[in-house]
Structures are given as C-alpha cells and as structure tokens.
Amino acid sequence: MVCQHTCFVVSSPFSGFCCLFSRLAGEFPALGSRAARQARAARRLREALEQLGIVFIKVGQVVGVRTDTLPPPYAAELARLQDAVRPVPIHLVKPFLEREYGRVLSELFERFDPEPLATASIGQVHRAQWRGREIVVKFLKPDTLQLLETDFELIRRMAGALRRVSERPSGKTS
C-alpha cells in the first residue's frame, strides 16, 4: 500500500509534493456535487494518512488545525485525527496492557471498557474503574516505537529521492 502512494517519478520537489498529495487525496470522477466530491477526497486523505502511520497522522493533525486555510470538508476530516483515529482492537490491547502491568486486567480493574474513549496517533484512552473510582487508562499503542522507526525510514527514503531529483540538471539550454 505504501509503495503505491510514495513510489513515483517527478521532475522537481514541488511537483513531487503535489503528486503525493494528489495520490493521497485520490482523483474522483465528476460524480455528484462539488461538495460531495470534496468530502470523499477529504475522507480518503484522512484514511491514507492513518494507513501511512504515526508521523503522517501527526502531519495531518498539524495541517488540520488550520481551519482558516482549508476547505470545510478537509478541516472536518483532519480534525478527526486529533482523537478519532482507528483504534487498536481490545483483543490486542488487553494482552499488551497485561504484559505492561504484569497482571491480568480483571485483577487490576473492577471494570475496563473495551471501547476506547479516544484514540490518536500514538495513544489510546479507555474508561475503567479502579478501587471504586472512575478513571481513564491512557497508554501508548502497541508497537508505537517500531512503527515510528518505520515511518522515519520511509521519510528518509522520500527525502533522499526528492534530494536526488532536485539535484538533477533542469534540462535548460542556453
């Protein structure tokens, strides 16, 4: 999936960024209203950023707060990256937290809600009850460090490709 969105030949760093943005946003046929097309494109951009990983979600979060410069559908979709990123399912969260705590969750908490209260790029929050008190349990998602390493490697490769492209002669004749 990542290669489909990042492997392309470009003639300059700027056109490379435009090509990447265009591929992430998706090109849609002229079906439906302009607002509907924009909403679909915005949703696809958010989904692509989520699939690309933590660093790309962070970029989307930063861009998404610029509601003064974004069309409303993009601002709304990118705002979802603040606290409504696709959650890690409970069947993966539970063993992860049990390894971290060294105990079974049912021994630690009277109740641990399987549905997250909020999810973001690197963290997830669940409601729980501990010693009769309502609390929230906030944690780094499993494999966060490995995913960050993968994202940074991808960015290094993209930067290297863009550097090589920008160092090529422009082909101008005098």
Side-chain angles (χ1 to χ4, degrees):
M1 179 78 178
V2 171
C3 286
Q4 292 175 341
H5 296 296
T6 58
C7 298
F8 50 87
V9 178
V10 295
S11 60
S12 74
F14 179 74
S15 64
F17 175 79
C18 291
C19 182
L20 175 62
F21 183 81
S22 173
R23 286 180 178 223
L24 287 173
E27 297 296 329
F28 296 101
L31 298 174
S33 69
R34 175 182 162 92
R37 287 192 312 272
Q38 233 180 19
R40 287 191 304 265
R43 187 190 78 248
R44 285 197 36 148
L45 174 61
R46 179 192 45 81
E47 289 171 350
L49 292 172
E50 282 188 44
Q51 288 176 352
L52 286 169
I54 295 169
V55 173
F56 296 92
I57 293 169
K58 287 288 183 196
V59 169
Q61 289 172 336
V62 169
V63 172
V65 298
R66 294 301 314 264
T67 57
D68 58 323
T69 60
L70 290 173
Y74 285 90
E77 283 293 333
L78 294 178
R80 294 185 61 196
L81 296 174
Q82 298 295 335
D83 61 3
V85 174
R86 199 175 12 172
V88 176
I90 191 65
H91 73 274
L92 298 174
V93 166
K94 187 177 176 191
F96 169 74
L97 290 176
E98 288 174 346
R99 272 193 312 278
E100 290 293 310
Y101 288 125
R103 295 177 62 191
V104 177
L105 286 184
S106 61
E107 293 174 5
L108 289 167
F109 305 106
E110 289 99 47
R111 180 183 45 75
F112 186 90
D113 288 349
E115 291 298 316
L117 181 62
T119 58
S121 58
I122 63 172
Q124 193 158 305
V125 180
H126 288 257
R127 288 185 175 112
Q129 187 173 24
W130 177 71
R131 297 183 180 175
R133 297 176 62 187
E134 291 295 316
I135 64 166
V136 294
V137 178
K138 183 176 182 178
F139 55 91
L140 286 178
K141 291 180 178 179
D143 303 324
T144 296
L145 296 178
Q146 294 88 347
L147 293 171
L148 279 171
E149 288 175 10
T150 301
D151 285 355
F152 286 132
E153 179 58 28
L154 178 60
I155 289 170
R156 276 192 288 278
R157 288 179 186 208
M158 289 171 61
L162 290 173
R163 183 175 18 84
R164 287 190 297 279
V165 167
S166 68
E167 291 172 354
R168 290 187 188 150
S170 64
K172 292 183 181 176
T173 57
S174 3

